[in-house]
Amino acid sequence: MDKKWKRIIMTVIGIVFTGVAVGILKKAALGTDPFTAFVTGCANAVHSTYGVMYPIVIGILLVAVFFIDKHYIGIGTILNLFIIGIVADYSLRLLDFLYEADTLLIRGITLIVAIFVLCFASSLYIAADLGVSSYDAVALIMADKKVAQYRFCRIITDVICVIIGYLLHATDCVGIGTIITAFGMGPIVQFFIKHAAGKILSERR
């Protein structure tokens, strides 16, 4: 397969499954990812909704990324902006139809699945290098600037999002899942980039 098409396919699959993972996280109801908590907190602060605030926050970050390092802006950035929210909503509806997360065990299993799907999906479109979400770009730019390795930069940005989200009363979005993704997502994504996504990209038929 031509490498260009492989990168496009990886980008699309990665973004779609990121949306699926967000839906699974919401189904688990044990805390969303840090950026969702941050956006929800911002929405609370101005008495708005997540759906309205998400493109605003992403747009502000997009402008900043454009002036700092526009290399990370591409087709993946645009798809991320318009696809993830829709896919997450439909994924949650489908999961609600399929089963009830009415016990802590089921919610815990759902959370674990969500985290690994989210990290693997993120590794696909990051490795494809056709543009990432403006929030993902922040940690990548920090790593490029030698602030620290990517996994540590991601922990820094995620922890900041959790703290701000919590202070802005997004308490329903903050839970054990938020803490796990804040401290674990960076290292897990980096693992998948090295051992899965990177190898998929380099394979030749």
Side-chain angles (χ1 to χ4, degrees):
M1 182 183 294
D2 181 82
K3 191 171 184 178
K4 179 181 179 180
W5 280 105
K6 184 181 288 189
R7 292 169 64 198
I8 292 173
I9 292 170
M10 287 174 63
T11 298
V12 173
I13 291 175
I15 290 172
V16 169
F17 275 92
T18 297
V20 172
V22 172
I24 302 174
L25 274 172
K26 290 183 177 180
K27 180 66 177 178
L30 289 171
T32 62
D33 62 282
F35 188 63
T36 297
F38 171 74
V39 174
T40 302
C42 291
N44 291 342
V46 296
H47 305 289
S48 184
T49 64
Y50 178 85
V52 172
M53 186 56 59
Y54 182 82
I56 294 174
V57 174
I58 286 291
I60 293 171
L61 289 174
L62 187 59
V63 172
V65 171
F66 179 82
F67 285 106
I68 297 173
D69 190 346
K70 60 184 177 181
H71 161 75
Y72 288 109
I73 299 174
I75 185 174
T77 312
I78 306 303
L79 292 175
N80 192 293
L81 179 60
F82 291 104
I83 289 179
I84 288 181
I86 296 173
V87 173
D89 286 342
Y90 278 103
S91 297
L92 180 57
R93 292 179 189 176
L94 178 60
L95 291 170
D96 285 340
F97 174 77
L98 292 176
Y99 72 98
E100 291 291 333
D102 51 3
T103 68
L104 187 58
L105 176 61
I106 294 176
R107 291 167 64 193
I109 293 172
T110 302
L111 173 63
I112 293 171
V113 171
I115 290 171
F116 278 94
V117 172
L118 179 62
C119 291
F120 181 69
S122 298
S123 75
L124 286 178
Y125 75 76
I126 289 174
D129 198 24
L130 288 178
V132 298
S133 77
S134 49
Y135 174 67
D136 289 330
V138 174
L140 290 166
I141 291 172
M142 289 172 63
D144 289 344
K145 300 295 184 182
K146 308 300 182 183
V147 174
Q149 292 184 25
Y150 169 76
R151 61 178 181 269
F152 298 122
C153 292
R154 184 62 187 239
I155 289 172
I156 292 169
T157 58
D158 283 349
V159 169
I160 290 173
C161 281
V162 173
I163 293 172
I164 294 175
Y166 183 81
L167 293 175
L168 293 177
H169 307 294
T171 52
D172 56 330
C173 291
V174 178
I176 184 64
T178 315
I179 304 303
I180 292 173
T181 51
F183 288 97
M185 189 170 174
I188 297 173
V189 169
Q190 189 168 25
F191 174 85
F192 278 132
I193 289 174
K194 180 178 180 180
H195 297 285
K199 291 184 178 180
I200 292 172
L201 190 61
S202 63
E203 284 178 354
R204 293 182 178 272
R205 289 182 61 181

